């Protein structure tokens, strides 16, 4: 088996799917615009983005998943460092900021 095929096989074992396909995991922690996700293999990945870019921009849509909820992620780089959440089963908070207007749905504050 060549080195490239061997790496792909190991990645499939670690993340539970082939590179380029959605990765399923469970949120174990939230840190602002990123989260920590536990993959089916048991590996915990930190720094998973909750929006396309982590920034202080005033215009954004941010969906924060509840801790313990399942998410689907995609990687923009093909590595675990490039993961972004693209689907949330149970949102904790949905925040939309645009042009100074803020729309907030927060499960904690009802």
């Amino acid at each position: 088996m060549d080195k490239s095929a061997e790496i792909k096989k190991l990645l499939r074992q670690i993340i539970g799917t082939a590179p380029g396909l959605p990765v399923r995991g469970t949120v174990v922690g939230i840190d602002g615009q990123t989260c920590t996700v536990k993959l089916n293999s048991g590996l915990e990945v930190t720094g998973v983005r909750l929006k396309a870019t982590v920034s202080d921009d005033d215009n954004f849509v941010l969906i924060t998943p509840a801790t313990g909820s399942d998410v689907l992620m995609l990687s923009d780089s093909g590595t675990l460092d490039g993961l972004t959440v693209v689907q949330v089963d149970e949102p904790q908070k949905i925040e939309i900021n645009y042009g100074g207007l803020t729309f907030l749905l927060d499960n904690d504050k009802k």
Side-chain angles (χ1 to χ4, degrees):
M1 183 180 306
D2 70 337
K3 202 165 206 95
S4 176
E6 191 173 333
I7 291 171
K8 287 179 184 178
K9 179 182 174 189
L10 290 171
L11 276 174
R12 268 191 221 105
Q13 290 173 347
I14 292 170
I15 63 175
T17 188
L21 295 177
V23 178
R24 183 179 308 273
T26 303
V27 176
V28 295
I30 301 293
D31 185 21
Q33 298 177 17
T34 65
C35 64
T36 300
V37 178
K38 185 175 184 178
L39 305 180
N40 292 338
S41 66
L43 177 69
E44 287 191 7
V45 181
T46 60
V48 177
R49 294 186 306 267
L50 296 175
K51 57 185 196 125
T53 58
V54 175
S55 67
D56 291 329
D57 191 13
D58 291 336
N59 299 320
F60 63 87
V61 175
L62 178 64
I63 300 174
T64 304
T67 301
S69 67
D70 288 335
V71 294
L72 284 179
M73 302 161 287
L74 288 175
S75 177
D76 61 358
S77 63
T79 67
L80 294 178
D81 292 334
L83 287 173
T84 301
V85 172
V86 295
Q87 179 67 44
V88 175
D89 275 358
E90 186 182 337
Q92 180 67 38
K93 180 172 65 171
I94 301 171
E95 185 176 1
I96 302 170
N97 284 327
Y98 187 76
L101 177 66
T102 299
F103 179 73
L104 177 66
L105 294 171
D106 191 338
N107 198 15
D108 285 338
K109 298 178 183 176
K110 306 288 183 218

